[in-house]
Amino acid sequence: MNPTVQRYTQIVLLCIGAVVTAIAVVLVAGCHHNDSQIDANKGTVIADVVSADALHAAVNLQTPDGQIYSPRLGLLYPTELAVGDRISVDYDITNPDLARPTGRDWKLSLTPALSIAVIGWLAVIVLMLLVAEVSRRLRLRRPPASG
């Protein structure tokens, strides 16, 4: 493999690793931002879980003014919830679409974010080593230049 092609390939792989890291950071920052909004205008109510799976939970919550809301995108941090559960929910009273189970916060996003970053960088490292090895083997195959 041409050394220039190898270098550009490795630079692209490093850029991919940087993008994956940025995604992980944005994930945590977004969760922190949402929690800050909830904490700034917090209301707490009991809600009924109407659907739940590993990544999404929909609830119906009734605000003190009698309005019934179902957050459009479901709850933040929806793990370990089951249909029929009655749970305490913190929500932003100015935006009831922003809701989370009471007691859960942005720190729960650290594990998935770190997992994304670690797996991404492991893939980048493996691919960089593979590119280096292919390049090395191709260089060994070439006959020496006679001069």
Coordinates of all heavy atoms in Angstrom, one line a residue, residues 51-114:
S51 N -47.1 1.9 27.8 CA -46.3 0.9 27.0 C -44.8 1.1 27.4 O -44.4 2.1 27.9 CB -46.5 1.2 25.5 OG -45.7 2.4 25.1
A52 N -44.1 0.0 27.3 CA -42.7 -0.1 27.7 C -42.0 -1.1 27.0 O -42.5 -2.2 26.7 CB -42.6 -0.3 29.2
D53 N -40.7 -0.8 26.6 CA -39.8 -1.8 26.1 C -38.4 -1.4 26.6 O -38.3 -0.5 27.4 CB -39.9 -2.0 24.5 CG -39.6 -0.7 23.8 OD1 -38.7 0.1 24.2 OD2 -40.3 -0.4 22.8
A54 N -37.4 -2.0 26.1 CA -36.0 -1.7 26.6 C -35.6 -0.3 26.3 O -34.8 0.3 27.1 CB -35.0 -2.7 25.9
L55 N -36.1 0.4 25.3 CA -35.6 1.7 24.9 C -36.6 2.8 25.0 O -36.3 4.0 24.8 CB -35.0 1.7 23.5 CG -33.8 0.7 23.3 CD1 -33.4 0.7 21.8 CD2 -32.7 1.1 24.2
H56 N -37.9 2.5 25.3 CA -38.9 3.5 25.3 C -40.0 3.1 26.3 O -40.3 2.0 26.5 CB -39.5 3.5 23.9 CG -40.6 4.5 23.7 ND1 -41.9 4.2 23.8 CD2 -40.5 5.9 23.4 CE1 -42.6 5.3 23.6 NE2 -41.8 6.3 23.4
A57 N -40.5 4.2 26.9 CA -41.7 4.0 27.8 C -42.6 5.1 27.7 O -42.2 6.3 27.7 CB -41.2 3.9 29.3
A58 N -43.9 4.9 27.4 CA -44.9 5.9 27.3 C -45.7 5.9 28.5 O -46.1 4.8 29.1 CB -45.8 5.6 26.0
V59 N -46.0 7.1 29.0 CA -46.8 7.3 30.2 C -47.9 8.3 30.0 O -47.8 9.1 29.1 CB -46.0 7.7 31.4 CG1 -45.0 6.7 31.8 CG2 -45.4 9.1 31.2
N60 N -49.0 8.2 30.8 CA -50.0 9.2 30.8 C -49.8 9.9 32.2 O -49.8 9.2 33.2 CB -51.4 8.6 30.7 CG -51.7 8.2 29.3 OD1 -51.1 8.7 28.3 ND2 -52.5 7.2 29.2
L61 N -49.7 11.2 32.2 CA -49.6 11.9 33.5 C -50.6 13.0 33.5 O -50.9 13.6 32.5 CB -48.2 12.4 33.7 CG -47.5 13.4 32.7 CD1 -47.7 14.8 33.1 CD2 -46.1 13.0 32.6
Q62 N -51.1 13.2 34.7 CA -52.1 14.3 34.9 C -51.5 15.4 35.7 O -51.1 15.2 36.8 CB -53.4 13.8 35.6 CG -54.5 14.8 35.7 CD -55.8 14.2 36.2 OE1 -55.8 13.1 36.6 NE2 -56.8 15.0 36.2
T63 N -51.5 16.6 35.1 CA -50.9 17.7 35.8 C -51.8 18.3 36.8 O -53.0 18.0 36.8 CB -50.5 18.8 34.8 OG1 -51.7 19.2 34.1 CG2 -49.5 18.3 33.8
P64 N -51.4 19.1 37.8 CA -52.3 19.6 38.8 C -53.5 20.4 38.3 O -54.5 20.5 38.9 CB -51.4 20.5 39.6 CG -50.0 19.9 39.5 CD -50.0 19.4 38.1
D65 N -53.3 21.0 37.0 CA -54.4 21.7 36.5 C -55.5 20.8 35.8 O -56.4 21.3 35.1 CB -53.9 22.8 35.5 CG -53.2 22.2 34.3 OD1 -53.1 21.0 34.2 OD2 -52.7 23.0 33.5
G66 N -55.3 19.5 35.9 CA -56.2 18.5 35.3 C -56.0 18.1 33.9 O -56.7 17.2 33.4
Q67 N -54.9 18.6 33.2 CA -54.6 18.2 31.9 C -53.9 16.9 31.9 O -53.1 16.6 32.8 CB -53.6 19.3 31.2 CG -54.2 20.6 31.0 CD -55.3 20.6 29.9 OE1 -55.2 19.8 29.0 NE2 -56.2 21.5 30.0
I68 N -54.2 16.0 31.0 CA -53.6 14.7 30.8 C -52.6 14.8 29.7 O -52.9 15.2 28.6 CB -54.6 13.6 30.6 CG1 -55.4 13.5 31.8 CG2 -53.8 12.3 30.3 CD1 -56.5 12.4 31.8
Y69 N -51.3 14.5 29.9 CA -50.3 14.5 28.9 C -49.7 13.1 28.8 O -49.6 12.3 29.7 CB -49.2 15.5 29.4 CG -49.5 16.9 29.3 CD1 -49.9 17.6 30.4 CD2 -49.5 17.6 28.1 CE1 -50.3 18.9 30.3 CE2 -49.8 18.9 28.0 CZ -50.2 19.6 29.1 OH -50.5 20.9 29.0
S70 N -49.2 12.9 27.6 CA -48.4 11.7 27.3 C -47.2 12.3 26.5 O -47.3 12.7 25.4 CB -49.2 10.7 26.4 OG -48.4 9.6 26.2
P71 N -46.1 12.3 27.2 CA -44.9 12.9 26.5 C -44.7 12.3 25.1 O -44.7 11.0 25.0 CB -43.7 12.6 27.5 CG -44.4 12.5 28.8 CD -45.7 11.9 28.5
R72 N -44.5 13.1 24.1 CA -44.4 12.7 22.7 C -43.4 11.6 22.5 O -43.6 10.6 21.8 CB -44.1 13.9 21.9 CG -45.0 14.1 20.7 CD -44.6 15.4 20.0 NE -43.6 16.2 20.7 CZ -42.8 17.0 20.2 NH1 -42.7 17.1 18.9 NH2 -41.9 17.7 21.0
L73 N -42.2 11.8 23.1 CA -41.1 10.9 22.8 C -40.9 9.9 24.0 O -39.9 9.2 24.1 CB -39.8 11.6 22.6 CG -39.8 12.5 21.4 CD1 -38.5 13.3 21.3 CD2 -40.1 11.8 20.1
G74 N -41.9 9.9 24.9 CA -41.8 9.0 26.1 C -40.9 9.6 27.2 O -40.6 10.7 27.1
L75 N -40.6 8.7 28.1 CA -39.8 9.2 29.3 C -38.3 9.1 29.0 O -37.9 8.3 28.2 CB -40.0 8.3 30.5 CG -41.4 8.3 31.2 CD1 -41.4 7.4 32.3 CD2 -41.7 9.7 31.7
L76 N -37.6 10.0 29.6 CA -36.1 9.9 29.6 C -35.8 8.7 30.6 O -36.5 8.5 31.6 CB -35.5 11.2 30.1 CG -35.8 12.4 29.3 CD1 -35.3 13.7 30.1 CD2 -35.2 12.4 27.9
Y77 N -34.7 8.0 30.3 CA -34.3 6.9 31.2 C -35.4 5.9 31.5 O -35.7 5.6 32.6 CB -33.7 7.5 32.5 CG -33.0 8.8 32.3 CD1 -33.5 9.9 32.9 CD2 -31.9 8.9 31.6 CE1 -32.8 11.1 32.8 CE2 -31.2 10.1 31.4 CZ -31.7 11.2 32.0 OH -31.1 12.4 31.8
P78 N -35.9 5.2 30.4 CA -37.1 4.4 30.6 C -36.8 2.9 31.0 O -37.8 2.1 31.1 CB -37.7 4.4 29.2 CG -36.4 4.4 28.3 CD -35.5 5.3 29.0
T79 N -35.6 2.6 31.4 CA -35.3 1.2 31.7 C -36.1 0.7 32.9 O -36.5 1.4 33.8 CB -33.8 0.9 31.9 OG1 -33.4 1.8 33.0 CG2 -33.0 1.2 30.7
E80 N -36.3 -0.6 32.9 CA -37.0 -1.4 34.1 C -38.4 -0.9 34.4 O -38.8 -0.9 35.5 CB -36.1 -1.3 35.3 CG -34.7 -1.9 35.1 CD -33.8 -1.7 36.3 OE1 -34.2 -1.2 37.3 OE2 -32.6 -2.0 36.1
L81 N -39.1 -0.4 33.4 CA -40.5 -0.1 33.6 C -41.3 -1.1 32.8 O -40.9 -1.7 31.8 CB -40.8 1.3 33.0 CG -40.0 2.5 33.7 CD1 -40.3 3.8 33.0 CD2 -40.4 2.6 35.2
A82 N -42.5 -1.3 33.4 CA -43.5 -2.3 32.8 C -44.8 -1.7 32.6 O -45.2 -0.8 33.4 CB -43.5 -3.6 33.6
V83 N -45.6 -2.2 31.6 CA -46.9 -1.7 31.4 C -47.7 -1.9 32.7 O -47.7 -3.0 33.3 CB -47.6 -2.4 30.2 CG1 -49.0 -2.0 30.0 CG2 -46.8 -2.1 28.9
G84 N -48.5 -0.9 33.0 CA -49.3 -1.0 34.2 C -48.7 -0.4 35.5 O -49.4 -0.2 36.5
D85 N -47.4 -0.2 35.4 CA -46.7 0.4 36.6 C -47.2 1.8 36.9 O -47.6 2.6 35.9 CB -45.2 0.6 36.4 CG -44.4 -0.7 36.5 OD1 -45.0 -1.8 36.9 OD2 -43.2 -0.8 36.1
R86 N -47.4 2.2 38.1 CA -47.7 3.6 38.5 C -46.4 4.1 39.1 O -45.9 3.6 40.1 CB -48.8 3.6 39.5 CG -50.2 3.3 38.8 CD -51.4 3.4 39.8 NE -51.5 4.7 40.4 CZ -52.1 5.8 39.8 NH1 -52.6 5.6 38.6 NH2 -52.3 6.9 40.5
I87 N -45.8 5.1 38.5 CA -44.5 5.6 38.9 C -44.6 7.1 39.2 O -45.5 7.8 38.6 CB -43.4 5.3 37.9 CG1 -43.8 6.0 36.6 CG2 -43.2 3.8 37.7 CD1 -42.6 5.9 35.6
S88 N -43.7 7.6 40.0 CA -43.5 9.0 40.2 C -42.7 9.6 39.1 O -41.7 9.0 38.7 CB -42.9 9.3 41.5 OG -42.7 10.6 41.8
V89 N -43.2 10.7 38.5 CA -42.5 11.3 37.3 C -42.2 12.7 37.6 O -43.1 13.5 38.1 CB -43.4 11.1 36.1 CG1 -42.8 11.9 34.9 CG2 -43.6 9.7 35.7
D90 N -41.0 13.2 37.3 CA -40.6 14.6 37.3 C -40.8 15.1 35.9 O -40.4 14.4 35.0 CB -39.2 14.8 37.8 CG -38.9 14.4 39.2 OD1 -39.9 14.4 40.0 OD2 -37.7 14.0 39.5
Y91 N -41.3 16.3 35.7 CA -41.5 16.8 34.4 C -41.3 18.3 34.5 O -41.4 19.0 35.5 CB -42.9 16.5 33.8 CG -44.0 17.2 34.5 CD1 -44.6 18.3 33.9 CD2 -44.5 16.7 35.7 CE1 -45.7 18.9 34.5 CE2 -45.6 17.4 36.3 CZ -46.2 18.5 35.7 OH -47.2 19.2 36.3
D92 N -41.1 18.9 33.3 CA -40.9 20.3 33.2 C -42.3 20.9 33.0 O -43.0 20.6 32.1 CB -40.1 20.7 31.9 CG -39.9 22.1 31.7 OD1 -40.5 23.0 32.3 OD2 -39.0 22.5 30.8
I93 N -42.8 21.7 34.0 CA -44.1 22.3 33.9 C -44.4 23.2 32.8 O -45.5 23.4 32.3 CB -44.5 23.0 35.3 CG1 -43.6 24.1 35.6 CG2 -44.6 22.0 36.4 CD1 -44.0 24.9 36.8
T94 N -43.3 23.7 32.2 CA -43.5 24.6 31.0 C -43.4 23.8 29.7 O -43.8 24.3 28.6 CB -42.4 25.7 30.9 OG1 -41.1 25.0 30.8 CG2 -42.4 26.6 32.1
N95 N -43.0 22.5 29.8 CA -42.9 21.6 28.6 C -43.1 20.2 29.1 O -42.2 19.4 29.4 CB -41.6 21.7 27.9 CG -41.4 20.8 26.8 OD1 -42.4 20.2 26.3 ND2 -40.2 20.7 26.3
P96 N -44.4 19.7 29.3 CA -44.7 18.4 29.9 C -44.2 17.3 29.0 O -44.2 16.1 29.4 CB -46.2 18.4 30.0 CG -46.6 19.8 30.0 CD -45.6 20.5 29.1
D97 N -43.7 17.6 27.8 CA -43.1 16.5 26.9 C -41.8 16.1 27.5 O -41.2 15.0 27.1 CB -43.0 17.0 25.5 CG -44.3 16.9 24.7 OD1 -45.1 16.1 25.1 OD2 -44.4 17.7 23.8
L98 N -41.2 16.8 28.4 CA -39.9 16.5 29.0 C -40.1 16.0 30.3 O -40.4 16.7 31.3 CB -39.1 17.8 29.0 CG -37.6 17.7 29.2 CD1 -37.0 16.8 28.1 CD2 -37.0 19.1 29.1
A99 N -40.0 14.6 30.4 CA -40.3 13.9 31.7 C -39.4 12.8 31.9 O -38.9 12.2 31.0 CB -41.8 13.4 31.7
R100 N -39.2 12.5 33.2 CA -38.3 11.3 33.6 C -38.8 10.7 34.9 O -39.5 11.4 35.7 CB -36.9 11.8 33.8 CG -36.8 12.8 35.0 CD -35.4 13.2 35.4 NE -35.5 14.0 36.6 CZ -34.8 15.1 36.8 NH1 -34.0 15.5 35.9 NH2 -34.9 15.8 37.9
P101 N -38.6 9.5 35.1 CA -38.9 8.9 36.4 C -38.2 9.6 37.5 O -37.0 9.9 37.4 CB -38.5 7.4 36.3 CG -38.4 7.2 34.8 CD -38.0 8.5 34.2
T102 N -38.9 9.8 38.6 CA -38.2 10.5 39.8 C -37.0 9.7 40.2 O -37.1 8.5 40.3 CB -39.3 10.6 40.9 OG1 -40.4 11.4 40.4 CG2 -38.7 11.3 42.1
G103 N -36.0 10.4 40.5 CA -34.8 9.7 41.0 C -33.8 9.4 40.0 O -32.6 9.0 40.3
R104 N -34.1 9.5 38.7 CA -33.2 9.2 37.6 C -32.7 10.5 37.0 O -33.4 11.5 37.0 CB -33.9 8.3 36.6 CG -34.3 7.0 37.1 CD -34.9 6.1 36.0 NE -35.4 4.9 36.6 CZ -35.9 3.9 35.9 NH1 -36.0 4.0 34.6 NH2 -36.4 2.8 36.5
D105 N -31.4 10.5 36.6 CA -30.8 11.7 36.0 C -29.8 11.4 35.0 O -29.6 10.2 34.6 CB -30.3 12.6 37.1 CG -29.1 12.0 37.9 OD1 -28.6 11.0 37.5 OD2 -28.7 12.6 38.9
W106 N -29.1 12.4 34.5 CA -28.2 12.3 33.4 C -27.0 11.3 33.6 O -26.4 10.8 32.7 CB -27.6 13.7 33.0 CG -26.8 14.3 34.1 CD1 -27.2 15.0 35.2 CD2 -25.4 14.1 34.3 NE1 -26.1 15.4 36.0 CE2 -25.0 14.8 35.4 CE3 -24.4 13.5 33.5 CZ2 -23.7 14.9 35.9 CZ3 -23.1 13.6 34.0 CH2 -22.7 14.3 35.2
K107 N -26.7 11.0 34.9 CA -25.6 10.1 35.2 C -25.9 8.7 34.6 O -24.9 8.0 34.3 CB -25.4 10.1 36.7 CG -24.9 11.4 37.2 CD -24.8 11.3 38.7 CE -24.7 12.7 39.3 NZ -25.7 13.1 40.2
L108 N -27.1 8.4 34.4 CA -27.4 7.1 33.7 C -27.0 7.1 32.3 O -26.9 6.0 31.7 CB -28.9 6.8 33.8 CG -29.5 6.6 35.2 CD1 -31.0 6.5 35.2 CD2 -28.9 5.3 35.8
S109 N -26.7 8.2 31.7 CA -26.3 8.2 30.3 C -24.7 8.0 30.2 O -24.2 7.8 29.1 CB -26.6 9.5 29.6 OG -25.9 10.6 30.2
L110 N -24.0 8.0 31.3 CA -22.6 7.8 31.2 C -22.2 6.4 30.7 O -21.3 6.3 29.9 CB -22.0 8.1 32.6 CG -22.0 9.5 33.1 CD1 -21.5 9.6 34.5 CD2 -21.2 10.4 32.1
T111 N -22.8 5.4 31.2 CA -22.5 4.0 30.7 C -22.7 3.8 29.2 O -21.8 3.4 28.6 CB -23.3 3.0 31.6 OG1 -23.0 3.2 32.9 CG2 -22.9 1.6 31.1
P112 N -23.9 4.2 28.7 CA -24.0 4.0 27.2 C -23.0 4.9 26.4 O -22.5 4.5 25.4 CB -25.4 4.4 26.9 CG -26.1 4.6 28.2 CD -25.1 4.6 29.3
A113 N -22.8 6.1 26.9 CA -21.9 7.0 26.2 C -20.4 6.4 26.2 O -19.8 6.4 25.2 CB -21.9 8.4 26.8
L114 N -20.0 6.0 27.4 CA -18.7 5.4 27.5 C -18.6 4.1 26.6 O -17.5 3.9 26.0 CB -18.3 5.1 28.9 CG -17.9 6.3 29.8 CD1 -17.7 5.9 31.2 CD2 -16.6 6.9 29.2

